C-alpha cells in the first residue's frame, strides 16, 4: 500500500511536496494509517486532534494516546476540546453536524495561526460508498451522488482511493497501534446502520463493489460537470444580475425543456428547501414569493426576482435640516441653492425653497399615500397607482423613498416631483435636490 499511496500522492497531489501538512487525527485506524504513511514519505506534518467529549473517559484516552504518539515520534501536535452537546443544543443541530462545524472551523484557524498549508482527513473508499448510500436513501440531487470530493480548497482527502481492507492489512503488516471508537459498533447512528447491514449485503452480491462503485461515481462526476456547464450557458441567456438582485426571464425559462432542473442548479446555493413552492412560482400570480434563510424569490409579472431578504421598516424616517447640504443614509442626496434651472431629470428636481417647511422628512411610502404629480394640473394620484404605471416590482416598491414637507410629498425620489413645490413666476429662491 505504501508504494501505491506514494504514486497516488505524486500523481494527484504533487503540490503537497514541500508544504506544511496538518493531519486530522482521531486516533482511530484510518487516521493512524494516514499519519504512518506520511511519516514514511518524509513530509512536513503536524497532527490536529479534536476531543468532542462525547464518550466520557474514552475521549480523553484517545486524546492521551495520540498525544503520546506525537511526542514519541517528534510530531508537532495541536489538541482542542469541545462541549459538542452544548453547542448542538444551542444551535438546534444534530451532534454529528455540530462536531463537523466545530472541527472544520478549528482546522481553518490552525492553518492560519500555525502557518500550515493544508488540512488532510482520513476519509477512505468505504466512507465514500456509505455517504453515497446515505444520500441515496434520504433523497438528493445529482451532486449528492458524486461522493466525497478529494479536495475542497484547503481540505484534502488522500485516502479516498483506498479501501478499509487495504488499511486493515497495512496496520497488521506495520503493527500500527490505534484506538477503537466504541460508538462505531452502535446502530444508533444512520451511517452505522448502512455500514453494518446494507454494505455487507452489497459486497456479498458484488465482490468488486468498491471498484464498480468507483467507476459509477466517475461517470456521475462527469455528468455533474456537464450539467454545471450547461447550467452556466443557459443562465447567461435567462438571468440578468443588477447589484445584489438577479432577474430570471420567465418567458425564456419556460421555453426550456425541464426548466425545473435549471432552477434547482441556479438556486441551490441560496439554501432554498421548498422546491415544489419554487417551481409553482413560475405559473403563480405576481407578488407570490418563497424564502430561504437569507434570500427571497419573488414572482413579478414575467420574472422571478432573487434578492437578499430586506425587511423594510415602514416607520424608518430621516430628518433633513434647512441648512443641510447632503445626506448619505439611506440615499445620497445633495441640496444646493441655484440661480436657475438646468439639467432637469428624474434624478434632480428644482423646488421653491419658500414653499418648503423644514425639517424635510425622508421616508418609505405607505398604502394610501397620494400626491399631485407635476404636469397634471393639480390632480391627485395615489403613489401605488404611479408604481403600477411605472411597472415597479415589489422589491422596487419596498426600496422606494419619498421626500416630504409637512406631511406633503415633495418628490417620489427618482420618479416624479409634486406640483405644489414647483418654481413659478413668484419664486425667489430655488433649491436643487440631486440624487447622486
Amino acid at each position: 500500500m505504501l508504494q501505491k499511496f506514494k504514486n497516488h500522492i505524486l500523481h494527484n497531489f504533487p503540490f503537497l511536496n514541500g508544504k506544511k501538512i496538518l493531519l486530522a487525527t482521531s486516533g482511530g485506524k484510518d487516521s493512524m494509517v494516514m499519519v504512518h504513511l506520511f511519516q514514511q514519505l518524509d513530509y512536513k506534518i503536524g497532527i490536529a486532534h479534536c476531543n468532542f467529549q462525547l464518550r466520557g473517559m474514552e475521549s480523553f484516552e484517545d486524546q492521551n494516546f495520540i498525544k503520546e504518539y506525537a511526542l514519541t515520534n517528534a510530531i508537532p501536535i495541536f489538541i482542542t476540546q469541545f462541549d459538542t452537546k452544548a453547542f448542538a443544543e444551542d444551535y438546534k443541530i444534530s451532534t454529528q453536524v455540530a462536531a463537523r462545524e466545530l472541527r472544520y472551523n478549528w482546522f481553518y484557524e490552525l492553518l492560519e495561526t500555525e502557518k500550515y498549508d493544508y488540512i488532510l482527513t482520513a476519509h477512505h473508499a468505504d466512507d465514500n460508498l456509505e455517504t453515497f448510500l446515505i444520500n441515496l436513501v434520504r433523497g438528493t440531487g445529482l451532486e449528492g451522488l458524486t461522493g466525497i470530493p478529494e479536495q475542497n480548497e484547503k481540505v484534502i482527502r488522500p485516502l479516498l482511493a483506498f479501501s478499509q481492507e487495504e488499511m486493515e492489512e497495512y496496520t497488521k503488516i506495520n503493527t500500527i497501534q490505534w484506538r477503537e471508537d466504541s460508538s462505531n459498533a452502535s446502530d444508533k447512528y444512520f451511517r452505522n446502520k448502512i455500514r453494518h447491514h446494507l454494505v455487507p449485503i452489497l459486497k456479498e452480491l458484488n465482490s468488486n463493489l468498491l471498484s464498480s462503485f468507483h467507476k459509477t461515481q466517475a461517470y456521475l462526476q462527469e455528468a455533474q460537470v456537464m450539467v454545471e456547464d450547461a447550467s452556466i450557458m443557459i443562465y447567461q441567456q435567462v438571468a440578468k444580475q443588477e447589484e445584489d438582485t438577479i432577474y430570471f426571464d420567465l418567458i425564456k425559462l419556460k421555453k426550456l425543456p425541464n426548466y425545473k432542473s435549471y432552477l434547482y442548479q441556479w438556486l441551490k446555493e441560496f439554501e432554498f428547501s421548498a422546491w415544489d413552492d419554487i417551481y409553482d412560482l413560475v405559473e403563480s400570480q405576481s407578488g407570490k414569493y418563497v424564502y430561504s434563510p437569507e434570500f427571497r424569490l419573488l414572482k413579478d409579472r414575467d420574472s422571478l426576482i432573487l434578492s437578499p431578504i430586506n425587511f423594510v421598516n415602514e416607520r424608518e424616517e430621516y430628518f433633513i435640516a434647512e441648512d443641510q447640504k447632503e445626506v448619505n443614509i439611506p440615499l445620497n442626496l445633495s441640496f444646493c441653492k441655484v440661480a436657475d434651472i438646468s439639467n432637469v431629470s428624474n434624478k434632480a428636481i428644482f423646488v421653491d425653497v419658500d414653499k418648503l417647511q423644514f425639517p424635510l422628512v425622508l421616508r418609505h411610502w405607505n398604502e394610501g399615500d397620494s400626491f399631485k404629480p407635476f404636469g397634471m394640473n393639480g390632480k391627485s394620484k395615489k403613489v401605488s397607482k404611479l408604481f403600477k404605471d411605472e411597472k415597479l416590482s415589489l422589491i422596487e416598491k419596498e426600496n422606494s423613498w419619498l421626500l416630504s414637507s409637512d406631511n406633503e410629498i415633495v418628490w417620489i425620489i427618482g420618479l416624479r416631483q409634486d406640483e405644489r413645490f414647483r418654481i413659478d413666476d413668484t419664486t425667489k429662491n430655488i433649491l436643487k435636490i440631486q440624487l447622486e
Side-chain angles (χ1 to χ4, degrees):
M1 180 179 173
L2 178 60
Q3 187 58 48
K4 179 181 175 182
F5 182 77
K6 180 179 180 180
N7 293 338
H8 176 65
I9 295 297
L10 290 175
H11 179 71
N12 294 289
F13 309 105
F15 52 85
L16 290 180
N17 186 39
K19 300 296 184 181
K20 286 184 67 179
I21 300 169
L22 198 56
L23 305 180
T25 310
S26 65
K29 175 173 55 184
D30 309 333
S31 62
M32 293 309 297
V33 166
M34 179 174 67
V35 171
H36 191 273
L37 286 167
F38 276 103
Q39 283 180 276
Q40 310 314 304
L41 299 183
D42 200 28
Y43 278 79
K44 300 174 184 177
I45 63 172
I47 286 176
H49 176 77
C50 302
N51 181 348
F52 296 105
Q53 302 188 74
L54 294 172
R55 292 176 288 114
M57 284 305 300
E58 189 178 328
S59 294
F60 288 92
E61 289 168 358
D62 291 348
Q63 177 181 314
N64 292 334
F65 167 77
I66 192 62
K67 182 177 180 180
E68 184 177 339
Y69 183 92
L71 292 174
T72 301
N73 291 272
I75 302 173
I77 185 169
F78 307 93
I79 296 174
T80 192
Q81 297 173 5
F82 297 120
D83 189 344
T84 311
K85 287 185 177 179
F87 183 86
E89 291 174 3
D90 288 345
Y91 288 90
K92 305 295 187 292
I93 55 179
S94 69
T95 303
Q96 296 97 317
V97 171
R100 176 182 172 82
E101 289 273 335
L102 289 167
R103 71 174 178 266
Y104 278 103
N105 287 340
W106 183 60
F107 289 158
Y108 275 105
E109 286 178 15
L110 279 180
L111 290 181
E112 184 174 346
T113 59
E114 302 300 330
K115 308 303 179 186
Y116 278 82
D117 298 297
Y118 296 95
I119 180 78
L120 276 60
T121 68
H123 295 90
H124 50 75
D126 290 76
D127 290 328
N128 208 3
L129 173 62
E130 291 164 10
T131 299
F132 171 89
L133 293 171
I134 289 169
N135 290 339
L136 182 66
V137 172
R138 288 177 171 169
T140 183
L142 179 58
E143 71 278 3
L145 302 179
T146 57
I148 303 171
E150 283 195 320
Q151 182 174 359
N152 273 345
E153 298 177 349
K154 296 289 186 178
V155 180
I156 295 174
R157 303 171 180 91
L159 293 177
L160 285 178
F162 299 86
S163 68
Q164 184 74 261
E165 288 182 6
E166 288 177 288
M167 287 185 287
E168 181 79 45
E169 182 180 358
Y170 188 80
T171 59
K172 293 177 180 178
I173 293 174
N174 295 277
T175 60
I176 296 173
Q177 299 296 310
W178 50 280
R179 295 272 303 168
E180 180 64 72
D181 184 339
S182 61
S183 66
N184 287 338
S186 170
D187 281 349
K188 174 184 176 182
Y189 301 107
F190 187 49
R191 179 177 289 273
N192 285 354
K193 291 180 181 179
I194 296 286
R195 178 181 299 164
H196 297 154
H197 304 290
L198 181 55
V199 171
I201 294 174
L202 294 175
K203 287 185 175 180
E204 183 180 329
L205 294 172
N206 180 359
S207 59
N208 294 315
L209 177 63
L210 287 179
S211 176
S212 299
F213 168 67
H214 181 73
K215 292 179 182 177
T216 298
Q217 201 162 65
Y219 298 144
L220 289 171
Q221 289 167 352
E222 291 174 0
Q224 177 66 15
V225 170
M226 184 171 64
V227 167
E228 290 174 354
D229 288 346
S231 175
I232 292 171
M233 291 175 60
I234 299 299
Y235 177 88
Q236 293 171 343
Q237 300 172 27
V238 173
K240 178 179 68 174
Q241 184 160 353
E242 296 180 1
E243 297 181 350
D244 56 359
T245 301
I246 301 174
Y247 299 82
F248 297 98
D249 188 320
L250 286 179
I251 295 176
K252 294 179 180 178
L253 179 70
K254 288 192 286 188
K255 290 180 180 179
L256 299 172
N258 198 18
Y259 64 76
K260 295 179 181 179
S261 296
Y262 288 106
L263 278 178
Y264 176 79
Q265 286 295 319
W266 297 332
L267 298 175
K268 63 184 180 181
E269 65 183 276
F270 298 98
E271 299 184 28
F272 285 98
S273 58
W275 292 105
D276 288 340
D277 292 340
I278 286 175
Y279 303 145
D280 289 344
L281 278 184
V282 173
E283 300 295 344
S284 69
Q285 65 186 38
S286 290
K288 297 288 186 180
Y289 50 81
V290 177
Y291 283 114
S292 76
E294 297 183 10
F295 291 86
R296 178 178 65 182
L297 187 67
L298 167 72
K299 168 67 179 293
D300 184 66
R301 301 181 180 85
D302 291 324
S303 296
L304 290 181
I305 304 174
L306 177 69
S307 62
I309 293 174
N310 180 22
F311 291 107
V312 175
N313 180 359
E314 293 182 356
R315 297 183 179 180
E316 187 177 14
E317 294 182 338
Y318 298 87
F319 295 91
I320 303 166
E322 186 172 2
D323 59 351
Q324 200 163 332
K325 301 299 182 184
E326 64 178 25
V327 295
N328 298 310
I329 297 175
L331 301 172
N332 292 321
L333 293 176
S334 63
F335 301 82
C336 66
K337 291 184 178 180
V338 294
D340 53 29
I341 298 175
S342 62
N343 300 322
V344 178
S345 71
N346 286 338
K347 290 191 175 184
I349 64 169
F350 296 83
V351 297
D352 188 328
V353 175
D354 299 319
K355 295 178 181 179
L356 299 175
Q357 290 192 34
F358 288 89
L360 302 180
V361 177
L362 192 57
R363 64 172 176 84
H364 287 291
W365 76 286
N366 297 312
E367 198 67 45
D369 275 339
S370 63
F371 74 122
K372 296 183 177 181
F374 186 89
M376 286 187 60
N377 299 318
K379 293 182 180 179
S380 294
K381 184 171 186 174
K382 284 195 172 184
V383 173
S384 58
K385 180 65 167 62
L386 173 70
F387 287 163
K388 184 177 181 180
D389 293 345
E390 295 291 331
K391 298 183 178 180
L392 267 61
S393 68
L394 177 60
I395 293 174
E396 290 170 323
K397 293 175 186 177
E398 289 176 346
N399 291 327
S400 294
W401 289 88
L402 310 183
L403 185 67
S404 64
S405 167
D406 193 26
N407 293 321
E408 293 182 338
I409 295 173
V410 177
W411 186 22
I412 302 174
I413 297 176
L415 286 177
R416 193 71 60 85
Q417 179 182 351
D418 191 287
E419 173 87 17
R420 289 166 290 186
F421 301 93
R422 63 178 293 187
I423 63 173
D424 54 33
D425 294 340
T426 65
T427 298
K428 297 178 181 179
N429 299 296
I430 301 174
L431 181 67
K432 179 182 180 182
I433 309 174
Q434 175 85 40
L435 175 63
E436 304 295 342

